[in-house]
Amino acid sequence: MVEEDLKIEVLFPETANLYGDTHNMVYLKQCLPKAEFIETGLADEPYFVENDVNMIYMGSMKESTQERVIEKLSKYRSRIIELIKKNVVFLMTGNAMEVFEKYIETDDGTQIKALNIFDLYAKRTMMNRYHEMQIGEFKEKLDIVGYKASFSMSYGDNSEGYFMKVVRGRGINDECEFEGIRQNNFFGTYYIGPLLVLNPLFTKYLIKLLGIKGKKLAHEETAIEAYELKLNEFSDPKREG
Amino acid sequence: MKKDFKFYFAQFSSKCVYGLIKFVKLFKKSLNGSHYPGKIALKFDKDFLGKIEKPEKIICVTGTNGKTTTANMIIDALEKNGFEVLNNKLGSNIQAGIACALSTGATITGKTKYDIAVFEVDERSSIKVYPYIEPTIILCTNLFRDSMKRNAHPEFILDIINQGLEGNTTTKFVLNADDLISCQIAPENKNKVYFGMDALLTDTTECHNIVNDFANCPKCGSKLRYNYLKYHHIGNAFCPNCDFESPEAKYLGTNFDFNKMKYSMIETLKDGKKQTEYNLITDSVVNIYNQIATTACLKEFGLSDIEIKKAFDDYKLVESRYKEEDYNGLTIKTMLAKGQNAVACSRVFDYIKTDSGNKAVMLNLDDFYDAKTSSENICWLYDTDYELLNDPSIKQICIAGKRRMDHYMRCLIAGIPKEKITVCEYEEEEPALLNFNKIDKVFVLYDVYTIPMAMKVKEGIKEQVDIILEKLEKNHVKISGNNDKDLTSEETKK
Ligand SMILES: [Zn+2]
């Protein structure tokens, strides 16, 4: 694969853009300046429907947007499943992950049907926001640091397909030690914000997964220094999460 | 709600605690227990706010940014016109702060001593405040993203406000026509007037900020277009595909003359329009909005043009968030940049960019408490327009503190050249690293709880200026006719 041929689709950046999530793609663009980034608005048809893409990204959004996104993407459920099977990279941060679960239960018990691709469901409690800093083991010698801030948690068994094993913090819910979803190259996580900026080693892994080898990241040394400092700090149990 | 024994006991206890705090304060001035009496009152009677007698007219001021400034302006204007105003200026803006103000402004049996109250209300306290006090007027300055930990997103805050206003039919709303988010307050209530600001030369028609939380038409989902846009989602919008548009401002600020410091307010009346000229008390757009909001609110309250003019005649805006000092030819500006509030910081960055001269910026934005005990969530940096600092007039950016590597990385992603950035561990080290020969101004930014640090940095800058001047003087004695500028640069290069 050559960088020029890479097609990365960013879904609904005008509205799925809370908590600094958009900078995952701003940074990836700086790392892969020759790749094509396709930004699809909520009113438009996603590019992946008719074309092949190498990666799809979607970030955190407000709850009302999440419902509109589910409605929008439901039409393309089978195409999404096909792309996951074809090993297309998906990165879904914050509550974007929940779009691919069975349903989202709201405060009053209403179940909002989601894409039902993964056997999990989410529960929203709008008066109960939680926040924490986290470390997760993505694979051996690759820890991911990040933050969670959410009204919702997910339930169900993700032990066979998780994004990370939790080192500090909680998994997809209070009782769970596994964070996020992984199936083939689909990565879903409750981590918010610029995950790829904060985790240069994971970003390198991701770029390799896209078929680009030996690529130096944008501002790599600084990113790694910042990452190591943060990992150190997050590992300190005396620091409140 | 009727007063009962529980209420009398709560009011009595609150009064006692208030008296006690007042007494202790005689000896210990720094004592901070500003909403404690209110807390006590609510502890003994959770319906305290509903039961206590309230002033006949209550104005509540809320919104993400500018509510303190605006509430203070309204209080000041009313007082200048002879009204006695109960307020929570010195207390807190949550439920307990309002309970405290009402308790202290009433007799021991809970009879109010005031006719008018002006309260600043925290948006998240809406549910606990509005159902009990039904304000005469609610003024909302704007709704933006704020702390992502607590406030999530503006729609969440809007929902909280609207939950607090459910069933409210009596309040008049004074809303910002240029902010389509806060325009959605109390959708059932038709008793609304809007204020707005006419196009400025600096306005655009496209959003250049990272954050725009009202990008799409709520009716048809199309991307909104703007007749003029000031920043983020603040402007005059319309949908190209349906009839959705910004509401018409009954009070429109226009004809801004920054030389004479005057502006006009066009008021739409039933039988036409009326234009009134007022003193402009500030040249910052953010505070002009606050002044326009204040004027609109006072008009709706019933003050005359003359009375409002009187209020702004010699009004001195307390710029506690911004101080300027000239020190031997170098301008030092200390500015509050509310950390974790991306919009407030972006406004400050915009101010720095557009300010005249060559500048250095000391970016000290770490949260004081998080730096001590936790690790600050830095996601907000990526909602903040660091790109504004990537400007030829900004010659140097100094970064210090626990989160220095995060700010450094953010600056690099914003395209700021590495050579312009200086990173050190502690803020106090920054002044010695300043490259004085390139700059006319230094901006020292700080967060709410880090004023002492900012003052230290400022003193450090002055010391450096003294050192340079001293060296220059010595060299003048040694070699007459030396080129001062070149020498300065040699001396300060690290
Ligand atoms: Zn429309």
Side-chain angles (χ1 to χ4, degrees):
Chain A
M1 172 66 71
V2 284
E3 199 181 314
E4 284 86 339
D5 292 341
L6 275 182
K7 281 189 168 39
I8 296 168
E9 180 164 18
V10 187
L11 291 178
F12 324 131
E14 83 282 18
T15 177
N17 62 15
L18 292 176
Y19 318 129
D21 281 23
T22 40
H23 269 77
N24 283 310
M25 289 304 106
V26 172
Y27 184 56
L28 196 62
K29 219 181 216 170
Q30 293 188 357
C31 294
L32 299 168
K34 290 178 196 149
E36 187 186 353
F37 284 76
I38 301 142
E39 295 197 344
T40 302
L42 194 51
D44 309 322
E45 184 183 85
Y47 182 79
F48 70 74
V49 177
E50 296 290 339
N51 306 278
D52 278 335
V53 290
N54 304 89
M55 178 175 174
I56 298 171
Y57 174 77
M58 185 160 65
S60 300
M61 60 202 99
K62 55 191 186 188
E63 292 65 34
S64 60
T65 299
Q66 200 185 25
E67 288 161 34
R68 287 172 65 193
V69 165
I70 290 172
E71 202 188 312
K72 175 99 199 173
L73 292 182
S74 289
K75 286 176 260 176
Y76 316 117
R77 180 175 179 269
S78 51
R79 173 67 176 156
I80 293 170
I81 293 171
E82 184 192 334
L83 293 174
I84 295 172
K85 280 188 182 146
K86 278 167 89 175
N87 281 323
V88 167
V89 175
F90 281 73
L91 181 62
M92 300 291 140
T93 56
N95 60 358
M97 174 177 82
E98 295 171 350
V99 169
F100 300 84
E101 298 180 11
K102 275 191 292 188
Y103 60 86
I104 300 163
E105 193 179 305
T106 62
D107 278 316
D108 63 3
T110 311
Q111 290 183 1
I112 301 158
K113 279 206 170 83
L115 293 186
N116 192 16
I117 293 175
F118 301 106
D119 195 15
L120 299 170
Y121 67 96
K123 245 181 168 173
R124 244 187 234 162
T125 44
M126 293 305 287
M127 277 304 155
N128 196 4
R129 189 164 174 78
Y130 74 93
H131 176 269
E132 66 183 3
M133 59 196 205
Q134 286 217 342
I135 306 173
E137 188 188 76
F138 175 67
K139 61 186 193 103
E140 213 187 320
K141 288 186 183 159
L142 207 173
D143 283 343
I144 293 183
V145 292
Y147 312 91
K148 280 188 190 175
S150 179
F151 293 115
S152 48
M153 294 192 190
S154 284
Y155 299 87
D157 184 7
N158 65 338
S159 62
E160 294 294 316
Y162 56 85
F163 180 39
M164 293 173 279
K165 190 171 185 308
V166 166
V167 177
R168 175 182 185 144
R170 70 193 97 189
I172 51 171
N173 61 61
D174 285 334
E175 313 301 326
C176 181
E177 54 175 326
F178 304 107
E179 163 50 32
I181 300 171
R182 165 129 193 217
Q183 195 181 93
N184 295 347
N185 292 332
F186 181 103
F187 304 102
T189 176
Y190 271 130
Y191 278 26
I192 57 164
L195 181 72
L196 299 186
V197 180
L198 301 185
N199 293 282
L201 303 186
F202 176 68
T203 309
K204 271 178 167 293
Y205 172 92
L206 207 69
I207 289 174
K208 223 165 134 187
L209 208 56
L210 289 167
I212 310 293
K213 295 207 176 78
K215 184 84 189 170
K216 200 169 184 238
L217 302 178
H219 326 296
E220 184 168 310
E221 292 81 11
T222 312
I224 289 177
E225 201 183 332
Y227 163 74
E228 281 169 354
L229 250 165
K230 199 168 277 103
L231 184 61
N232 224 338
E233 208 172 43
F234 282 23
S235 305
D236 179 356
K238 276 183 269 161
R239 296 233 151 235
E240 293 161 12
Chain B
M1 278 179 183
K2 273 185 86 170
K3 291 177 191 163
D4 52 13
F5 176 73
K6 220 159 82 176
F7 168 79
Y8 289 116
F9 184 70
Q11 171 66 348
F12 176 74
S13 312
S14 170
K15 283 270 191 194
C16 288
V17 172
Y18 179 71
L20 195 71
I21 289 175
K22 245 178 128 178
F23 178 72
V24 178
K25 267 193 170 169
L26 290 175
F27 309 99
K28 198 175 173 223
K29 283 209 168 68
S30 63
L31 181 78
N32 193 359
S34 57
H35 63 279
Y36 207 64
K39 252 185 150 170
I40 292 289
L42 290 163
K43 196 178 165 173
F44 289 124
D45 187 351
K46 66 176 176 46
D47 295 325
F48 181 81
L49 275 183
K51 289 174 189 168
I52 192 162
E53 191 187 292
K54 281 153 287 256
E56 199 190 319
K57 290 191 169 177
I58 300 178
I59 298 173
C60 287
V61 184
T62 192
T64 310
N65 295 324
K67 56 181 172 289
T68 309
T69 309
T70 306
N72 288 348
M73 264 190 226
I74 294 170
I75 294 164
D76 193 85
L78 290 171
E79 284 177 347
K80 264 190 190 155
N81 283 288
F83 295 99
E84 256 190 85
V85 185
L86 178 67
N87 62 72
N88 59 340
K89 203 155 108 173
L90 298 174
S92 80
N93 61 7
I94 56 172
Q95 187 195 20
I98 289 150
C100 177
L102 285 170
S103 166
T104 52
T107 63
I108 197 98
T109 57
K111 272 184 92 65
T112 185
K113 295 183 250 175
Y114 291 82
D115 295 327
I116 299 170
V118 175
F119 296 133
E120 176 190 331
V121 182
D122 176 72
E123 305 85 88
R124 285 177 309 140
S125 298
S126 304
I127 299 176
K128 291 175 178 168
V129 174
Y130 299 140
Y132 295 109
I133 66 171
E134 291 222 8
T136 322
I137 294 176
I138 292 179
L139 163 63
C140 183
T141 53
N142 50 55
L143 288 176
F144 281 113
R145 285 189 200 184
D146 199 339
S147 154
M148 54 182 68
K149 262 195 223 176
R150 293 174 287 116
N151 290 34
H153 50 77
E155 196 174 280
F156 169 63
I157 299 300
L158 177 72
D159 278 348
I160 292 181
I161 296 175
N162 283 342
Q163 280 174 43
L165 293 169
E166 237 165 66
N168 175 314
T169 51
T170 52
T171 298
K172 167 165 269 176
F173 292 87
V174 178
L175 303 175
N176 187 344
D178 298 343
D179 169 20
L180 286 169
I181 300 178
S182 61
C183 278
Q184 300 175 89
I185 285 178
E188 305 298 318
N189 188 317
K190 299 280 171 266
N191 199 6
K192 290 173 184 166
V193 295
Y194 298 91
F195 62 89
M197 196 191 302
D198 210 350
L200 297 172
L201 287 172
T202 46
D203 287 359
T204 57
T205 51
E206 285 281 336
C207 179
H208 297 292
N209 299 106
I210 296 167
V211 173
N212 178 348
D213 281 315
F214 209 97
N216 293 343
C217 170
K219 273 189 170 175
C220 74
S222 308
K223 195 176 172 220
L224 286 177
R225 301 241 302 262
Y226 295 91
N227 291 314
Y228 50 87
L229 181 68
K230 300 209 159 28
Y231 40 77
H232 304 280
H233 65 278
I234 301 295
N236 189 273
F238 64 94
C239 175
N241 294 319
C242 74
D243 62 353
F244 180 80
E245 59 182 2
S246 297
E248 197 195 337
K250 180 180 176 188
Y251 300 98
L252 183 74
T254 188
N255 299 336
F256 297 94
D257 185 335
F258 294 105
N259 293 318
K260 292 187 186 140
M261 290 305 277
K262 298 267 181 206
Y263 85 101
S264 300
M265 179 75 103
I266 297 176
E267 187 183 343
T268 305
L269 302 163
K270 275 195 190 111
D271 50 354
K273 290 188 192 284
K274 189 179 92 179
Q275 191 160 333
T276 316
E277 195 183 65
Y278 290 103
N279 276 351
L280 195 57
I281 58 163
T282 169
D283 60 358
S284 97
V285 178
V286 168
N287 276 327
I288 296 174
Y289 265 116
N290 295 335
Q291 185 179 0
I292 293 172
T294 300
T295 308
C297 180
L298 292 170
K299 288 286 297 192
E300 290 299 315
F301 182 80
L303 250 54
S304 68
D305 296 337
I306 294 166
E307 284 171 317
I308 297 171
K309 272 187 184 178
K310 186 172 150 192
F312 289 124
D313 252 358
D314 53 351
Y315 190 87
K316 203 97 198 89
L317 187 69
V318 187
E319 287 278 15
S320 61
R321 302 173 173 203
Y322 156 82
K323 279 204 172 66
E324 183 175 334
E325 189 182 333
D326 188 79
Y327 192 74
N328 290 321
L330 180 77
T331 306
I332 309 170
K333 288 192 176 185
T334 44
M335 274 185 104
L336 173 74
K338 249 165 123 189
Q340 308 196 11
N341 181 326
V343 170
C345 277
S346 296
R347 294 294 85 229
V348 170
F349 290 176
D350 191 48
Y351 177 89
I352 296 171
K353 178 188 163 144
T354 49
D355 202 13
S356 62
N358 288 326
K359 299 148 263 186
V361 184
M362 297 192 163
L363 218 50
N364 304 324
L365 301 176
D366 280 3
D367 183 87
F368 179 72
Y369 294 104
D370 276 350
K372 265 188 162 169
T373 61
S374 179
S375 180
E376 183 180 342
N377 181 333
I378 55 88
C379 296
W380 70 272
L381 268 57
Y382 289 85
D383 271 351
T384 307
D385 297 300
Y386 276 67
E387 288 69 15
L388 292 166
L389 297 177
N390 186 11
D391 189 79
S393 71
I394 298 172
K395 303 291 180 193
Q396 190 180 6
I397 294 172
C398 296
I399 303 167
K402 271 248 157 21
R403 300 269 63 86
R404 59 191 177 280
M405 290 310 293
D406 294 311
H407 288 281
Y408 187 24
M409 192 62 192
R410 180 66 187 92
C411 285
L412 292 176
I413 290 177
I416 299 166
K418 233 177 174 151
E419 311 78 67
K420 282 191 182 180
I421 310 169
T422 315
V423 184
C424 52
E425 193 172 350
Y426 300 105
E427 289 86 350
E428 292 83 349
E429 297 168 31
E430 288 172 329
L433 303 173
L434 265 179
N435 196 347
F436 285 92
N437 75 319
K438 284 186 174 172
I439 52 167
D440 316 301
K441 276 179 193 165
V442 185
F443 285 88
V444 182
L445 305 189
Y446 61 93
D447 189 23
V448 184
Y449 300 104
T450 53
I451 299 170
M453 175 276 296
M455 292 305 121
K456 246 190 216 170
V457 172
K458 188 178 169 181
E459 287 314 307
I461 296 170
K462 289 183 185 174
E463 275 169 31
Q464 290 301 319
V465 172
D466 289 342
I467 292 170
I468 291 168
L469 288 177
E470 207 175 293
K471 280 184 183 168
L472 276 174
E473 244 165 59
K474 272 185 195 161
N475 277 293
H476 263 294
V477 178
K478 270 195 225 157
I479 326 155
S480 62
N482 201 342
N483 185 326
D484 293 356
K485 275 250 155 178
D486 286 350
L487 183 71
T488 323
S489 82
E490 285 308 308
E491 292 293 339
T492 52
K493 260 183 199 160
K494 285 258 161 186

